mmCIF file of all heavy atoms in Angstrom:
data_model
loop_
_atom_site.group_PDB
_atom_site.id
_atom_site.type_symbol
_atom_site.label_atom_id
_atom_site.label_comp_id
_atom_site.label_asym_id
_atom_site.label_seq_id
_atom_site.Cartn_x
_atom_site.Cartn_y
_atom_site.Cartn_z
ATOM 1 N N ASN A 171 70.324 -21.780 12.426
ATOM 2 C CA ASN A 171 70.953 -22.989 11.866
ATOM 3 C C ASN A 171 71.435 -22.775 10.433
ATOM 4 O O ASN A 171 71.828 -23.730 9.769
ATOM 5 C CB ASN A 171 69.972 -24.160 11.894
ATOM 6 C CG ASN A 171 69.628 -24.568 13.304
ATOM 7 O OD1 ASN A 171 70.508 -24.698 14.143
ATOM 8 N ND2 ASN A 171 68.336 -24.747 13.569
ATOM 9 N N ARG A 172 71.353 -21.537 9.950
ATOM 10 C CA ARG A 172 71.789 -21.158 8.594
ATOM 11 C C ARG A 172 70.909 -21.775 7.516
ATOM 12 O O ARG A 172 71.313 -21.914 6.365
ATOM 13 C CB ARG A 172 73.263 -21.534 8.315
ATOM 14 C CG ARG A 172 74.246 -21.162 9.397
ATOM 15 C CD ARG A 172 74.439 -19.690 9.549
ATOM 16 N NE ARG A 172 75.202 -19.065 8.480
ATOM 17 C CZ ARG A 172 75.658 -17.820 8.546
ATOM 18 N NH1 ARG A 172 75.408 -17.085 9.639
ATOM 19 N NH2 ARG A 172 76.321 -17.281 7.565
ATOM 20 N N HIS A 173 69.685 -22.165 7.898
ATOM 21 C CA HIS A 173 68.721 -22.677 6.929
ATOM 22 C C HIS A 173 67.498 -21.770 6.901
ATOM 23 O O HIS A 173 67.300 -20.954 7.797
ATOM 24 C CB HIS A 173 68.310 -24.108 7.291
ATOM 25 C CG HIS A 173 69.461 -25.047 7.265
ATOM 26 N ND1 HIS A 173 69.840 -25.801 8.357
ATOM 27 C CD2 HIS A 173 70.360 -25.314 6.292
ATOM 28 C CE1 HIS A 173 70.915 -26.501 8.036
ATOM 29 N NE2 HIS A 173 71.252 -26.234 6.796
ATOM 30 N N VAL A 174 66.680 -21.962 5.869
ATOM 31 C CA VAL A 174 65.468 -21.153 5.734
ATOM 32 C C VAL A 174 64.522 -21.455 6.894
ATOM 33 O O VAL A 174 64.353 -22.617 7.289
ATOM 34 C CB VAL A 174 64.799 -21.429 4.373
ATOM 35 C CG1 VAL A 174 63.450 -20.733 4.260
ATOM 36 C CG2 VAL A 174 65.726 -20.985 3.240
ATOM 37 N N THR A 175 63.912 -20.418 7.458
ATOM 38 C CA THR A 175 63.005 -20.583 8.594
ATOM 39 C C THR A 175 61.708 -21.277 8.164
ATOM 40 O O THR A 175 61.238 -21.092 7.036
ATOM 41 C CB THR A 175 62.599 -19.232 9.212
ATOM 42 O OG1 THR A 175 61.822 -18.510 8.261
ATOM 43 C CG2 THR A 175 63.799 -18.404 9.600
ATOM 44 N N THR A 176 61.135 -22.034 9.075
ATOM 45 C CA THR A 176 59.835 -22.674 8.854
ATOM 46 C C THR A 176 58.791 -21.633 8.458
ATOM 47 O O THR A 176 57.985 -21.855 7.554
ATOM 48 C CB THR A 176 59.405 -23.380 10.153
ATOM 49 O OG1 THR A 176 60.432 -24.313 10.511
ATOM 50 C CG2 THR A 176 58.099 -24.136 9.980
ATOM 51 N N CYS A 177 58.821 -20.478 9.144
ATOM 52 C CA CYS A 177 57.831 -19.420 8.880
ATOM 53 C C CYS A 177 57.873 -18.955 7.434
ATOM 54 O O CYS A 177 56.837 -18.621 6.850
ATOM 55 C CB CYS A 177 58.079 -18.233 9.809
ATOM 56 S SG CYS A 177 57.775 -18.650 11.530
ATOM 57 N N ARG A 178 59.054 -18.904 6.847
ATOM 58 C CA ARG A 178 59.162 -18.438 5.459
ATOM 59 C C ARG A 178 58.496 -19.435 4.510
ATOM 60 O O ARG A 178 57.827 -19.033 3.546
ATOM 61 C CB ARG A 178 60.633 -18.237 5.085
ATOM 62 C CG ARG A 178 60.798 -17.391 3.844
ATOM 63 C CD ARG A 178 60.311 -15.957 4.092
ATOM 64 N NE ARG A 178 60.171 -15.191 2.881
ATOM 65 C CZ ARG A 178 59.045 -14.587 2.486
ATOM 66 N NH1 ARG A 178 57.965 -14.634 3.232
ATOM 67 N NH2 ARG A 178 59.006 -13.924 1.377
ATOM 68 N N TYR A 179 58.669 -20.735 4.764
ATOM 69 C CA TYR A 179 58.001 -21.740 3.933
ATOM 70 C C TYR A 179 56.483 -21.596 4.046
ATOM 71 O O TYR A 179 55.756 -21.730 3.067
ATOM 72 C CB TYR A 179 58.391 -23.164 4.356
ATOM 73 C CG TYR A 179 59.840 -23.514 4.132
ATOM 74 C CD1 TYR A 179 60.618 -24.027 5.169
ATOM 75 C CD2 TYR A 179 60.444 -23.348 2.894
ATOM 76 C CE1 TYR A 179 61.952 -24.367 4.975
ATOM 77 C CE2 TYR A 179 61.778 -23.687 2.689
ATOM 78 C CZ TYR A 179 62.526 -24.195 3.736
ATOM 79 O OH TYR A 179 63.835 -24.522 3.543
ATOM 80 N N VAL A 180 56.010 -21.340 5.265
ATOM 81 C CA VAL A 180 54.565 -21.189 5.503
ATOM 82 C C VAL A 180 54.034 -19.996 4.710
ATOM 83 O O VAL A 180 53.005 -20.082 4.035
ATOM 84 C CB VAL A 180 54.285 -21.029 7.021
ATOM 85 C CG1 VAL A 180 52.824 -20.692 7.282
ATOM 86 C CG2 VAL A 180 54.696 -22.303 7.767
ATOM 87 N N ASP A 181 54.763 -18.870 4.762
ATOM 88 C CA ASP A 181 54.369 -17.692 3.968
ATOM 89 C C ASP A 181 54.354 -18.021 2.472
ATOM 90 O O ASP A 181 53.426 -17.645 1.761
ATOM 91 C CB ASP A 181 55.336 -16.524 4.216
ATOM 92 C CG ASP A 181 55.073 -15.808 5.540
ATOM 93 O OD1 ASP A 181 53.984 -15.995 6.123
ATOM 94 O OD2 ASP A 181 55.958 -15.060 5.986
ATOM 95 N N LEU A 182 55.389 -18.711 2.010
ATOM 96 C CA LEU A 182 55.478 -18.995 0.565
ATOM 97 C C LEU A 182 54.307 -19.850 0.078
ATOM 98 O O LEU A 182 53.754 -19.587 -0.990
ATOM 99 C CB LEU A 182 56.808 -19.684 0.227
ATOM 100 C CG LEU A 182 58.060 -18.805 0.288
ATOM 101 C CD1 LEU A 182 59.316 -19.643 -0.008
ATOM 102 C CD2 LEU A 182 57.993 -17.632 -0.689
ATOM 103 N N VAL A 183 53.906 -20.858 0.857
ATOM 104 C CA VAL A 183 52.778 -21.693 0.396
ATOM 105 C C VAL A 183 51.459 -20.911 0.496
ATOM 106 O O VAL A 183 50.613 -21.019 -0.394
ATOM 107 C CB VAL A 183 52.703 -23.076 1.101
ATOM 108 C CG1 VAL A 183 53.989 -23.872 0.856
ATOM 109 C CG2 VAL A 183 52.406 -22.977 2.579
ATOM 110 N N GLN A 184 51.319 -20.077 1.539
ATOM 111 C CA GLN A 184 50.088 -19.273 1.639
ATOM 112 C C GLN A 184 50.008 -18.234 0.517
ATOM 113 O O GLN A 184 48.921 -17.888 0.054
ATOM 114 C CB GLN A 184 50.043 -18.570 2.997
ATOM 115 C CG GLN A 184 49.747 -19.527 4.141
ATOM 116 C CD GLN A 184 48.935 -18.849 5.219
ATOM 117 O OE1 GLN A 184 49.422 -17.952 5.880
ATOM 118 N NE2 GLN A 184 47.706 -19.284 5.383
ATOM 119 N N ASN A 185 51.176 -17.735 0.082
ATOM 120 C CA ASN A 185 51.222 -16.712 -0.966
ATOM 121 C C ASN A 185 50.920 -17.253 -2.358
ATOM 122 O O ASN A 185 50.862 -16.478 -3.315
ATOM 123 C CB ASN A 185 52.582 -16.010 -0.960
ATOM 124 C CG ASN A 185 52.722 -15.068 0.214
ATOM 125 O OD1 ASN A 185 51.731 -14.695 0.833
ATOM 126 N ND2 ASN A 185 53.944 -14.697 0.538
ATOM 127 N N GLN A 186 50.696 -18.557 -2.481
ATOM 128 C CA GLN A 186 50.262 -19.111 -3.766
ATOM 129 C C GLN A 186 48.837 -18.638 -4.105
ATOM 130 O O GLN A 186 48.436 -18.686 -5.258
ATOM 131 C CB GLN A 186 50.319 -20.648 -3.738
ATOM 132 C CG GLN A 186 51.734 -21.219 -3.673
ATOM 133 C CD GLN A 186 52.501 -21.012 -4.974
ATOM 134 O OE1 GLN A 186 53.161 -20.001 -5.172
ATOM 135 N NE2 GLN A 186 52.410 -21.968 -5.894
ATOM 136 N N LEU A 187 48.098 -18.193 -3.088
ATOM 137 C CA LEU A 187 46.723 -17.730 -3.309
ATOM 138 C C LEU A 187 46.645 -16.220 -3.084
ATOM 139 O O LEU A 187 47.350 -15.686 -2.225
ATOM 140 C CB LEU A 187 45.770 -18.454 -2.353
ATOM 141 C CG LEU A 187 45.663 -19.970 -2.601
ATOM 142 C CD1 LEU A 187 44.974 -20.661 -1.445
ATOM 143 C CD2 LEU A 187 44.923 -20.248 -3.910
ATOM 144 N N PRO A 188 45.784 -15.528 -3.859
ATOM 145 C CA PRO A 188 45.732 -14.063 -3.756
ATOM 146 C C PRO A 188 45.073 -13.601 -2.456
ATOM 147 O O PRO A 188 44.360 -14.360 -1.792
ATOM 148 C CB PRO A 188 44.903 -13.652 -4.968
ATOM 149 C CG PRO A 188 44.084 -14.840 -5.302
ATOM 150 C CD PRO A 188 44.894 -16.050 -4.904
ATOM 151 N N LEU A 189 45.307 -12.333 -2.125
ATOM 152 C CA LEU A 189 44.796 -11.747 -0.892
ATOM 153 C C LEU A 189 43.285 -11.928 -0.754
ATOM 154 O O LEU A 189 42.794 -12.296 0.317
ATOM 155 C CB LEU A 189 45.155 -10.253 -0.872
ATOM 156 C CG LEU A 189 44.760 -9.462 0.368
ATOM 157 C CD1 LEU A 189 45.470 -9.998 1.602
ATOM 158 C CD2 LEU A 189 45.090 -7.979 0.178
ATOM 159 N N ASP A 190 42.532 -11.690 -1.840
ATOM 160 C CA ASP A 190 41.067 -11.718 -1.701
ATOM 161 C C ASP A 190 40.523 -13.145 -1.549
ATOM 162 O O ASP A 190 39.403 -13.309 -1.063
ATOM 163 C CB ASP A 190 40.360 -10.922 -2.807
ATOM 164 C CG ASP A 190 40.649 -11.459 -4.196
ATOM 165 O OD1 ASP A 190 41.357 -12.476 -4.302
ATOM 166 O OD2 ASP A 190 40.164 -10.845 -5.167
#
Side-chain angles (χ1 to χ4, degrees):
Chain A
N171 294 314
R172 313 292 287 191
H173 298 123
V174 173
T175 66
T176 303
C177 294
R178 197 66 193 124
Y179 294 127
V180 173
D181 282 344
L182 288 177
V183 301
Q184 287 214 293
N185 286 343
Q186 291 290 89
L187 295 167
L189 183 62
D190 61 3

